[in-house]
Amino acid sequence: MTVAWRPARWWTVLSGVTAVLVGLVCGVIVWTFAPPVVFFPWFALASWVLLILGAVWLVVGLFGWFKFRALRATAIAPALVLATAVLVVLSVPSTVAFAVSKRSLVAASAQCVQSMEDRRIGVYQVWRIQPVDGGCLFYIEGGLIDPIGLAYLPDGAPYLGKPRHDGDIGYEQYSGDWYRFVERF
């Protein structure tokens, strides 16, 4: 006669709650990588919360492994973290965000009317639109201190690389005539 090891109800609930919270935090992390440059304040906060949840998972997981031999239930949270890491490393959030937003961005760049009011263009929260010679800059929420965004420059960027001095804009090729930019504060 074999005795089936069944986890205690409190452990199952605690493991489930931990996995759900890890999933939510991983969702926030994926969301922070949707802008062309990571939305750093939210990413830093989510990373700290994920570290705390990792410590909780470790205690709950080790207890479940040794006491109840419950391996599958404790593997959910690490699988979510691994999937999040793969998505971020492969730039999936920013690629998908740009693909979903490209039509709206192209339409806005055709007119490129200077604006300082917040508006949503595609999935991006744009807080400023600035016409420039031969193109248009879309300042998007994100970054840490330096303003960041996407630039439509069909004639090419005036400079590729990091900003060289305060007020300078550094461009990086993104997709076709689109560039990511960082403006040094």
Side-chain angles (χ1 to χ4, degrees), residues 7-154:
R9 182 156 173 74
W10 66 266
W11 183 88
T12 304
V13 169
L14 191 55
S15 291
V17 168
T18 303
V20 167
L21 291 175
V22 165
L24 290 172
V25 172
C26 287
V28 170
I29 289 173
V30 167
W31 170 76
T32 64
F33 279 88
V37 177
V38 68
F39 202 166
F40 190 78
W42 284 103
F43 172 71
L45 178 63
S47 296
W48 276 106
V49 172
L50 193 59
L51 283 173
I52 292 166
L53 287 172
V56 170
W57 170 85
L58 188 60
V59 171
V60 171
L62 287 175
F63 191 82
W65 288 346
F66 292 117
K67 177 86 171 157
F68 307 119
R69 296 190 178 122
L71 297 175
R72 274 190 253 155
T74 56
I76 295 170
L80 290 170
V81 172
L82 182 62
T84 300
V86 168
L87 289 173
V88 167
V89 166
L90 296 177
S91 300
V92 172
S94 62
T95 302
V96 169
F98 182 72
V100 167
S101 305
K102 189 173 181 180
R103 178 177 284 165
S104 300
L105 286 166
V106 168
S109 68
Q111 296 176 2
C112 196
V113 178
Q114 184 164 350
S115 171
M116 294 289 281
E117 64 184 53
D118 278 347
R119 71 164 74 167
R120 184 158 297 282
I121 299 178
V123 298
Y124 300 118
Q125 187 65 34
V126 176
W127 59 272
R128 178 178 168 193
I129 298 174
Q130 177 72 41
V132 293
D133 288 338
C136 191
L137 302 179
F138 296 93
Y139 288 81
I140 297 172
E141 285 187 352
L144 181 58
I145 296 173
D146 296 332
I148 58 108
L150 288 170
Y152 177 69
L153 302 167

